[in-house]
Amino acid sequence: MLKFTEEHEWLNIEGDVATVGITAHAAGQLGDLVFVELPDVGAVFSKGDDAATVESVKAASEVYCPLDGEITEINEAITADPELVNSDPTGAGWFFKLKLKNVADADGLLDESGYKELIG
Amino acid sequence: MDETAATKKTPLHALHLSLGARMVPFAGYDMPVQYPAGVMKEHLWTRASAGLFDVSHMGQVTIRARSGKYEDAALALESLVPVDILGLAEGRQRYGFFTDDNGGILDDLMITHMDDYLFVVVNASCKDEDIKHLQDHIGDTCEITLLDRALIALQGPRAVSVLAELWADLAYMKFMDVRHCRLHDVSCLVSRSGYSGEDGFEISVPADKAEDIAKRLLEHPDVQPIGLGARDSLRLEAGLCLYGNDIDQTTTPVEAALEWGMQKARKTGGVRAGGFPGSARILDELDNGASRRRVGLKPEGKAPVRGHAKLYADAEGKTEIGEVTSGGFGPSVESPVAMGYVPVSCAAPGTPVYAEVRGKFLPVTVSALPFITPTYKR
């Protein structure tokens, strides 16, 4: 199940674990990323908390935790090579896996067509 | 930035839009922050080839003595800047700054000796106050005129050959030379200067001819348009100050490590020592040193350290010693770079300090400026 937030994160939900990244639209807006800071495995976040930071040449931006949950895995490949987020935002450029506190909360997020409408 | 303020447009505004620029409000103008290539590619293109920048938002001002004599205009301007203007040769440009009574910097500017008058370029965000400052202090003896002209910067190692192929071989010009010349039958004022650390030119053109000139330049395969994003990373790598970030009324020229902009004639013992606002403090700092200093800062890790990050002497964040004024990623040095102020006791290159970024204290090494080797044609 693919879901999206209005803050331009995508979630691929399998069972009660969501793989989270930023959308191609967001990656394009940010420009070439030069640094990514990921959360610690085991960190517990509420929806809307700052979970990661991405930095382009010119600015830093926060990546928000899209739902309540616990970080179970992070993608070290993007800290080693932040460009992966630009080149493959919905594939190799994923950020972290989140064990959802309540899977049903995902119903409140956008689906693909809703997100496409949002970004025009 | 007050986004509700009416934003002004430069003569190249329509061209930026047609080139797919992402526009942002900057100093009251709607300006291109980047083009589709993106900041990283634009930055590297400028260092390798030639980048075209629209700097028309900056103020272009002429100062003419009512007497008609250059010497009178030069001496009048010397009452506002700690720079040797009288000794500036005709056709030569010099960097300088307006100071206030406390020795703080009101703006930085480029000053050119034209035949019998001065041509100065000031920052967009300061230009109205600069004009008022000039009017209030030297308006009785000089005529101050804000010109309605565009300003195009062509920066990078290919800039000179591009201009030679299109219109005029300007290779005879040295760094900081200024000449009138005709480009595409348009009368332009060209200086061999810029703010990227590269060889290059700034071309002042009549507003109604700006788009034509810019388009001709952009048709050349060596030229790409470059936005404010790359302009900022280029000047940061070159160790050049951005007014409002690295220098302002709270920083003196000596604190800002800009002594090189003050010539012997205006310093203690010089033929026209002092006589500018804040001269007592500035001359004292020149002779005895200031308590703090603008330095280069090289973060050891990969995380960029941005402007306003606090600097500490220790890794625990107990002793705050200063602040980062500009920081980001340097595409040419391939690492984060920054500038900021530290006490003179910490200003020696190699001194370890710590910057607070998102609650962590990251190791940063005080570094000599610039971070790149400028390629000015002296």
Side-chain angles (χ1 to χ4, degrees), chain B residues 11-20 35 50-54 56 150-154 162-163 166-167 183-184 186 188 203 205-226:
Chain B
L12 297 180
H13 189 266
L15 180 62
H16 299 314
L17 296 182
S18 74
L19 293 168
Y35 297 87
L52 184 144
F53 304 71
D54 179 12
S56 304
L151 194 63
I152 296 168
L154 191 68
V162 166
L163 286 173
L166 288 179
W167 300 300
L183 304 181
H184 188 224
V186 177
C188 299
I203 308 167
V205 299
D208 62 344
K209 304 287 189 204
E211 186 168 321
D212 200 13
I213 296 276
K215 277 183 173 168
R216 296 276 178 140
L217 287 166
L218 288 167
E219 277 169 13
H220 195 288
D222 290 348
V223 180
Q224 289 286 322
I226 311 296

Short mmCIF file of all heavy atoms in Angstrom, two decimals, chain B residues 11-20 35 50-54 56 150-154 162-163 166-167 183-184 186 188 203 205-226:
data_model
loop_
_atom_site.label_atom_id
_atom_site.label_comp_id
_atom_site.label_asym_id
_atom_site.label_seq_id
_atom_site.Cartn_x
_atom_site.Cartn_y
_atom_site.Cartn_z
N PRO B 11 15.87 44.13 -15.63
CA PRO B 11 15.59 44.07 -17.07
C PRO B 11 15.70 42.65 -17.65
O PRO B 11 15.26 42.42 -18.77
CB PRO B 11 16.67 44.99 -17.68
CG PRO B 11 17.05 45.92 -16.57
CD PRO B 11 16.93 45.10 -15.31
N LEU B 12 16.28 41.72 -16.90
CA LEU B 12 16.44 40.35 -17.40
C LEU B 12 15.37 39.41 -16.85
O LEU B 12 15.45 38.18 -17.05
CB LEU B 12 17.84 39.82 -17.06
CG LEU B 12 19.00 40.58 -17.70
CD1 LEU B 12 20.34 39.95 -17.28
CD2 LEU B 12 18.89 40.58 -19.21
N HIS B 13 14.36 39.96 -16.17
CA HIS B 13 13.36 39.12 -15.50
C HIS B 13 12.69 38.14 -16.45
O HIS B 13 12.60 36.94 -16.18
CB HIS B 13 12.33 40.02 -14.81
CG HIS B 13 11.40 39.27 -13.91
ND1 HIS B 13 10.17 38.81 -14.34
CD2 HIS B 13 11.52 38.87 -12.63
CE1 HIS B 13 9.58 38.18 -13.34
NE2 HIS B 13 10.38 38.20 -12.29
N ALA B 14 12.22 38.65 -17.59
CA ALA B 14 11.51 37.78 -18.54
C ALA B 14 12.44 36.69 -19.08
O ALA B 14 12.01 35.54 -19.28
CB ALA B 14 10.95 38.61 -19.70
N LEU B 15 13.70 37.03 -19.26
CA LEU B 15 14.68 36.04 -19.73
C LEU B 15 14.85 34.92 -18.71
O LEU B 15 14.89 33.74 -19.07
CB LEU B 15 16.01 36.74 -20.02
CG LEU B 15 17.15 35.85 -20.53
CD1 LEU B 15 16.81 35.20 -21.87
CD2 LEU B 15 18.44 36.65 -20.67
N HIS B 16 14.93 35.29 -17.42
CA HIS B 16 15.06 34.26 -16.38
C HIS B 16 13.89 33.28 -16.43
O HIS B 16 14.07 32.07 -16.35
CB HIS B 16 15.10 34.89 -14.98
CG HIS B 16 16.24 35.84 -14.77
ND1 HIS B 16 17.51 35.54 -15.15
CD2 HIS B 16 16.29 37.08 -14.23
CE1 HIS B 16 18.30 36.57 -14.85
NE2 HIS B 16 17.59 37.51 -14.28
N LEU B 17 12.68 33.84 -16.57
CA LEU B 17 11.50 32.98 -16.61
C LEU B 17 11.56 32.06 -17.83
O LEU B 17 11.25 30.87 -17.74
CB LEU B 17 10.22 33.82 -16.65
CG LEU B 17 9.95 34.69 -15.42
CD1 LEU B 17 8.62 35.43 -15.59
CD2 LEU B 17 9.93 33.87 -14.13
N SER B 18 11.98 32.60 -18.98
CA SER B 18 12.02 31.79 -20.20
C SER B 18 13.08 30.70 -20.09
O SER B 18 13.00 29.68 -20.78
CB SER B 18 12.28 32.68 -21.42
OG SER B 18 13.64 33.09 -21.45
N LEU B 19 14.07 30.90 -19.23
CA LEU B 19 15.13 29.90 -19.05
C LEU B 19 14.77 28.87 -17.97
O LEU B 19 15.57 28.01 -17.63
CB LEU B 19 16.45 30.59 -18.66
CG LEU B 19 17.08 31.47 -19.75
CD1 LEU B 19 18.20 32.33 -19.17
CD2 LEU B 19 17.61 30.62 -20.90
N GLY B 20 13.57 29.00 -17.41
CA GLY B 20 13.10 28.03 -16.42
C GLY B 20 13.64 28.25 -15.03
O GLY B 20 13.74 27.31 -14.23
N TYR B 35 18.61 27.70 -11.95
CA TYR B 35 18.02 27.30 -13.23
C TYR B 35 17.86 25.79 -13.20
O TYR B 35 18.29 25.15 -12.22
CB TYR B 35 18.92 27.79 -14.37
CG TYR B 35 19.03 29.29 -14.40
CD1 TYR B 35 19.99 29.95 -13.64
CD2 TYR B 35 18.12 30.06 -15.14
CE1 TYR B 35 20.07 31.33 -13.63
CE2 TYR B 35 18.20 31.44 -15.12
CZ TYR B 35 19.16 32.08 -14.37
OH TYR B 35 19.21 33.43 -14.35
N ALA B 50 32.15 29.33 -18.12
CA ALA B 50 31.73 30.72 -17.90
C ALA B 50 30.27 30.76 -17.48
O ALA B 50 29.42 30.18 -18.16
CB ALA B 50 31.93 31.55 -19.16
N GLY B 51 30.00 31.42 -16.37
CA GLY B 51 28.64 31.56 -15.87
C GLY B 51 28.16 32.99 -16.02
O GLY B 51 28.91 33.93 -15.79
N LEU B 52 26.89 33.12 -16.42
CA LEU B 52 26.30 34.46 -16.57
C LEU B 52 25.37 34.74 -15.40
O LEU B 52 24.44 33.95 -15.13
CB LEU B 52 25.54 34.56 -17.89
CG LEU B 52 24.95 35.93 -18.21
CD1 LEU B 52 25.05 36.20 -19.71
CD2 LEU B 52 23.50 36.04 -17.77
N PHE B 53 25.62 35.80 -14.70
CA PHE B 53 24.83 36.18 -13.52
C PHE B 53 24.14 37.51 -13.78
O PHE B 53 24.77 38.44 -14.31
CB PHE B 53 25.72 36.39 -12.29
CG PHE B 53 26.59 35.24 -11.90
CD1 PHE B 53 27.69 34.87 -12.68
CD2 PHE B 53 26.34 34.53 -10.74
CE1 PHE B 53 28.51 33.82 -12.31
CE2 PHE B 53 27.16 33.47 -10.36
CZ PHE B 53 28.24 33.12 -11.14
N ASP B 54 22.88 37.62 -13.39
CA ASP B 54 22.19 38.90 -13.41
C ASP B 54 22.42 39.58 -12.06
O ASP B 54 21.92 39.11 -11.03
CB ASP B 54 20.69 38.68 -13.64
CG ASP B 54 19.91 40.00 -13.65
OD1 ASP B 54 20.54 41.08 -13.73
OD2 ASP B 54 18.66 39.93 -13.59
N SER B 56 21.81 42.93 -11.77
CA SER B 56 21.21 44.24 -12.04
C SER B 56 20.52 44.84 -10.83
O SER B 56 20.20 46.03 -10.82
CB SER B 56 20.18 44.11 -13.16
OG SER B 56 20.75 43.56 -14.31
N ALA B 150 21.48 47.89 -16.39
CA ALA B 150 21.58 46.49 -15.97
C ALA B 150 23.05 46.17 -15.71
O ALA B 150 23.94 46.87 -16.19
CB ALA B 150 21.01 45.58 -17.05
N LEU B 151 23.28 45.11 -14.93
CA LEU B 151 24.64 44.67 -14.66
C LEU B 151 24.69 43.15 -14.83
O LEU B 151 23.93 42.42 -14.19
CB LEU B 151 25.05 45.08 -13.24
CG LEU B 151 26.53 44.99 -12.89
CD1 LEU B 151 27.37 45.94 -13.74
CD2 LEU B 151 26.74 45.33 -11.41
N ILE B 152 25.56 42.73 -15.74
CA ILE B 152 25.70 41.30 -16.05
C ILE B 152 27.11 40.88 -15.68
O ILE B 152 28.07 41.52 -16.10
CB ILE B 152 25.46 41.07 -17.55
CG1 ILE B 152 24.03 41.42 -17.95
CG2 ILE B 152 25.78 39.61 -17.92
CD1 ILE B 152 23.81 41.50 -19.45
N ALA B 153 27.22 39.83 -14.88
CA ALA B 153 28.55 39.32 -14.54
C ALA B 153 28.80 38.05 -15.35
O ALA B 153 27.94 37.15 -15.39
CB ALA B 153 28.66 39.03 -13.05
N LEU B 154 29.93 38.00 -16.02
CA LEU B 154 30.35 36.79 -16.74
C LEU B 154 31.61 36.31 -16.04
O LEU B 154 32.64 36.98 -16.06
CB LEU B 154 30.63 37.12 -18.21
CG LEU B 154 30.83 35.89 -19.12
CD1 LEU B 154 29.53 35.10 -19.26
CD2 LEU B 154 31.34 36.30 -20.49
N VAL B 162 35.18 33.97 -24.41
CA VAL B 162 33.82 34.16 -24.90
C VAL B 162 33.65 35.60 -25.39
O VAL B 162 33.15 35.84 -26.50
CB VAL B 162 32.78 33.84 -23.81
CG1 VAL B 162 31.39 34.36 -24.18
CG2 VAL B 162 32.74 32.34 -23.54
N LEU B 163 34.08 36.56 -24.59
CA LEU B 163 33.94 37.96 -24.99
C LEU B 163 34.78 38.24 -26.24
O LEU B 163 34.35 38.98 -27.14
CB LEU B 163 34.33 38.89 -23.84
CG LEU B 163 33.32 38.97 -22.71
CD1 LEU B 163 33.86 39.78 -21.54
CD2 LEU B 163 31.99 39.57 -23.19
N LEU B 166 32.95 36.90 -29.29
CA LEU B 166 31.71 37.59 -29.65
C LEU B 166 31.95 39.03 -30.11
O LEU B 166 31.39 39.46 -31.11
CB LEU B 166 30.74 37.59 -28.47
CG LEU B 166 30.09 36.25 -28.13
CD1 LEU B 166 29.18 36.39 -26.93
CD2 LEU B 166 29.29 35.73 -29.33
N TRP B 167 32.72 39.75 -29.35
CA TRP B 167 32.79 41.18 -29.63
C TRP B 167 34.17 41.82 -29.51
O TRP B 167 34.58 42.57 -30.36
CB TRP B 167 31.87 41.95 -28.66
CG TRP B 167 30.45 41.58 -28.75
CD1 TRP B 167 29.65 41.67 -29.84
CD2 TRP B 167 29.64 41.06 -27.70
NE1 TRP B 167 28.40 41.23 -29.53
CE2 TRP B 167 28.35 40.86 -28.24
CE3 TRP B 167 29.88 40.75 -26.37
CZ2 TRP B 167 27.30 40.36 -27.47
CZ3 TRP B 167 28.83 40.26 -25.61
CH2 TRP B 167 27.57 40.07 -26.16
N LEU B 183 29.89 46.38 -27.14
CA LEU B 183 29.56 44.97 -27.30
C LEU B 183 28.27 44.93 -28.11
O LEU B 183 27.25 45.48 -27.69
CB LEU B 183 29.33 44.28 -25.95
CG LEU B 183 30.46 44.36 -24.91
CD1 LEU B 183 30.05 43.59 -23.67
CD2 LEU B 183 31.76 43.81 -25.45
N HIS B 184 28.35 44.29 -29.30
CA HIS B 184 27.15 44.19 -30.12
C HIS B 184 26.57 45.59 -30.36
O HIS B 184 25.35 45.83 -30.25
CB HIS B 184 26.12 43.28 -29.43
CG HIS B 184 24.94 42.95 -30.27
ND1 HIS B 184 23.66 42.98 -29.77
CD2 HIS B 184 24.83 42.61 -31.56
CE1 HIS B 184 22.81 42.67 -30.73
NE2 HIS B 184 23.50 42.43 -31.82
N VAL B 186 26.57 48.08 -28.56
CA VAL B 186 26.02 48.74 -27.38
C VAL B 186 27.19 49.27 -26.55
O VAL B 186 28.17 48.55 -26.32
CB VAL B 186 25.19 47.75 -26.54
CG1 VAL B 186 24.68 48.42 -25.27
CG2 VAL B 186 24.04 47.19 -27.37
N CYS B 188 29.07 49.83 -23.47
CA CYS B 188 29.07 49.17 -22.16
C CYS B 188 30.26 49.65 -21.33
O CYS B 188 31.24 50.15 -21.87
CB CYS B 188 29.19 47.66 -22.33
SG CYS B 188 27.81 46.93 -23.24
N ILE B 203 29.63 43.65 -16.57
CA ILE B 203 29.31 44.46 -17.73
C ILE B 203 28.08 45.30 -17.42
O ILE B 203 26.99 44.77 -17.23
CB ILE B 203 29.03 43.56 -18.96
CG1 ILE B 203 30.19 42.57 -19.16
CG2 ILE B 203 28.83 44.41 -20.21
CD1 ILE B 203 29.87 41.45 -20.15
N VAL B 205 25.32 47.66 -18.68
CA VAL B 205 24.71 47.94 -20.00
C VAL B 205 23.41 48.72 -19.82
O VAL B 205 22.75 48.61 -18.79
CB VAL B 205 24.40 46.62 -20.77
CG1 VAL B 205 25.67 45.84 -21.02
CG2 VAL B 205 23.40 45.76 -20.03
N PRO B 206 23.03 49.52 -20.83
CA PRO B 206 21.73 50.20 -20.76
C PRO B 206 20.62 49.17 -20.56
O PRO B 206 20.66 48.09 -21.17
CB PRO B 206 21.61 50.88 -22.13
CG PRO B 206 23.02 50.99 -22.64
CD PRO B 206 23.74 49.80 -22.08
N ALA B 207 19.66 49.49 -19.70
CA ALA B 207 18.61 48.53 -19.33
C ALA B 207 17.90 47.95 -20.56
O ALA B 207 17.63 46.75 -20.61
CB ALA B 207 17.60 49.22 -18.41
N ASP B 208 17.65 48.77 -21.57
CA ASP B 208 16.88 48.28 -22.72
C ASP B 208 17.70 47.39 -23.66
O ASP B 208 17.16 46.80 -24.58
CB ASP B 208 16.25 49.45 -23.49
CG ASP B 208 17.29 50.40 -24.07
OD1 ASP B 208 18.46 50.34 -23.63
OD2 ASP B 208 16.93 51.22 -24.94
N LYS B 209 18.99 47.29 -23.43
CA LYS B 209 19.84 46.42 -24.27
C LYS B 209 20.28 45.17 -23.51
O LYS B 209 20.98 44.32 -24.07
CB LYS B 209 21.10 47.17 -24.72
CG LYS B 209 20.83 48.47 -25.45
CD LYS B 209 20.30 48.23 -26.84
CE LYS B 209 20.25 49.54 -27.61
NZ LYS B 209 19.27 49.49 -28.70
N ALA B 210 19.90 45.07 -22.25
CA ALA B 210 20.43 44.01 -21.39
C ALA B 210 20.04 42.62 -21.88
O ALA B 210 20.87 41.71 -21.94
CB ALA B 210 19.96 44.21 -19.96
N GLU B 211 18.77 42.46 -22.24
CA GLU B 211 18.32 41.13 -22.64
C GLU B 211 19.03 40.68 -23.92
O GLU B 211 19.43 39.51 -24.05
CB GLU B 211 16.80 41.13 -22.83
CG GLU B 211 16.28 39.73 -23.10
CD GLU B 211 14.78 39.61 -23.02
OE1 GLU B 211 14.17 40.23 -22.13
OE2 GLU B 211 14.22 38.87 -23.85
N ASP B 212 19.20 41.60 -24.83
CA ASP B 212 19.87 41.31 -26.09
C ASP B 212 21.31 40.82 -25.83
O ASP B 212 21.75 39.79 -26.35
CB ASP B 212 19.87 42.59 -26.94
CG ASP B 212 20.09 42.28 -28.41
OD1 ASP B 212 19.99 41.09 -28.77
OD2 ASP B 212 20.38 43.22 -29.16
N ILE B 213 22.02 41.58 -25.01
CA ILE B 213 23.41 41.22 -24.69
C ILE B 213 23.47 39.86 -23.97
O ILE B 213 24.28 39.00 -24.31
CB ILE B 213 24.05 42.31 -23.78
CG1 ILE B 213 24.14 43.66 -24.52
CG2 ILE B 213 25.39 41.86 -23.22
CD1 ILE B 213 25.36 43.81 -25.39
N ALA B 214 22.58 39.68 -23.00
CA ALA B 214 22.58 38.43 -22.23
C ALA B 214 22.28 37.24 -23.14
O ALA B 214 22.92 36.19 -23.04
CB ALA B 214 21.56 38.51 -21.10
N LYS B 215 21.31 37.41 -24.04
CA LYS B 215 20.96 36.31 -24.95
C LYS B 215 22.13 35.95 -25.85
O LYS B 215 22.39 34.77 -26.09
CB LYS B 215 19.76 36.72 -25.82
CG LYS B 215 18.42 36.50 -25.13
CD LYS B 215 17.30 36.86 -26.09
CE LYS B 215 15.94 36.51 -25.55
NZ LYS B 215 14.88 37.14 -26.37
N ARG B 216 22.80 36.97 -26.36
CA ARG B 216 23.97 36.70 -27.22
C ARG B 216 25.03 35.91 -26.45
O ARG B 216 25.65 35.00 -27.00
CB ARG B 216 24.59 38.01 -27.70
CG ARG B 216 23.68 38.81 -28.58
CD ARG B 216 23.78 38.33 -30.02
NE ARG B 216 22.88 39.06 -30.86
CZ ARG B 216 23.18 39.48 -32.10
NH1 ARG B 216 24.37 39.21 -32.60
NH2 ARG B 216 22.30 40.13 -32.81
N LEU B 217 25.25 36.30 -25.21
CA LEU B 217 26.23 35.58 -24.40
C LEU B 217 25.79 34.13 -24.15
O LEU B 217 26.58 33.20 -24.25
CB LEU B 217 26.44 36.30 -23.06
CG LEU B 217 27.23 37.60 -23.12
CD1 LEU B 217 27.08 38.39 -21.83
CD2 LEU B 217 28.71 37.33 -23.41
N LEU B 218 24.49 33.96 -23.87
CA LEU B 218 23.97 32.62 -23.55
C LEU B 218 23.95 31.70 -24.77
O LEU B 218 23.91 30.48 -24.63
CB LEU B 218 22.57 32.73 -22.95
CG LEU B 218 22.53 33.28 -21.52
CD1 LEU B 218 21.09 33.64 -21.13
CD2 LEU B 218 23.10 32.28 -20.53
N GLU B 219 23.98 32.29 -25.98
CA GLU B 219 24.04 31.46 -27.19
C GLU B 219 25.40 30.77 -27.31
O GLU B 219 25.53 29.77 -28.01
CB GLU B 219 23.83 32.34 -28.44
CG GLU B 219 22.36 32.60 -28.73
CD GLU B 219 22.18 33.68 -29.79
OE1 GLU B 219 23.16 34.04 -30.48
OE2 GLU B 219 21.04 34.17 -29.92
N HIS B 220 26.40 31.32 -26.65
CA HIS B 220 27.73 30.72 -26.72
C HIS B 220 27.75 29.42 -25.93
O HIS B 220 27.28 29.38 -24.79
CB HIS B 220 28.78 31.69 -26.17
CG HIS B 220 30.18 31.30 -26.53
ND1 HIS B 220 30.81 30.21 -25.97
CD2 HIS B 220 31.06 31.83 -27.42
CE1 HIS B 220 32.02 30.10 -26.50
NE2 HIS B 220 32.20 31.06 -27.38
N PRO B 221 28.29 28.35 -26.53
CA PRO B 221 28.23 27.04 -25.83
C PRO B 221 28.98 27.01 -24.50
O PRO B 221 28.71 26.13 -23.68
CB PRO B 221 28.87 26.07 -26.83
CG PRO B 221 29.58 26.93 -27.84
CD PRO B 221 28.87 28.24 -27.88
N ASP B 222 29.88 27.94 -24.28
CA ASP B 222 30.63 27.93 -23.02
C ASP B 222 29.89 28.64 -21.88
O ASP B 222 30.37 28.65 -20.74
CB ASP B 222 31.99 28.63 -23.19
CG ASP B 222 32.94 27.81 -24.06
OD1 ASP B 222 32.63 26.62 -24.32
OD2 ASP B 222 33.97 28.35 -24.47
N VAL B 223 28.75 29.26 -22.19
CA VAL B 223 28.06 30.10 -21.19
C VAL B 223 26.75 29.45 -20.74
O VAL B 223 25.96 28.98 -21.56
CB VAL B 223 27.77 31.51 -21.76
CG1 VAL B 223 27.07 32.37 -20.71
CG2 VAL B 223 29.06 32.17 -22.22
N GLN B 224 26.55 29.41 -19.43
CA GLN B 224 25.29 28.96 -18.83
C GLN B 224 24.81 30.02 -17.84
O GLN B 224 25.64 30.70 -17.23
CB GLN B 224 25.50 27.64 -18.08
CG GLN B 224 25.74 26.43 -18.98
CD GLN B 224 24.47 25.96 -19.67
OE1 GLN B 224 23.40 25.98 -19.09
NE2 GLN B 224 24.60 25.55 -20.92
N PRO B 225 23.49 30.15 -17.67
CA PRO B 225 22.99 31.09 -16.66
C PRO B 225 23.17 30.53 -15.25
O PRO B 225 22.99 29.33 -15.05
CB PRO B 225 21.50 31.23 -17.01
CG PRO B 225 21.15 29.92 -17.63
CD PRO B 225 22.39 29.44 -18.35
N ILE B 226 23.52 31.38 -14.32
CA ILE B 226 23.81 30.94 -12.94
C ILE B 226 22.98 31.78 -11.97
O ILE B 226 22.92 33.01 -12.09
CB ILE B 226 25.31 31.12 -12.61
CG1 ILE B 226 26.20 30.52 -13.72
CG2 ILE B 226 25.63 30.50 -11.25
CD1 ILE B 226 26.11 29.04 -13.93
#
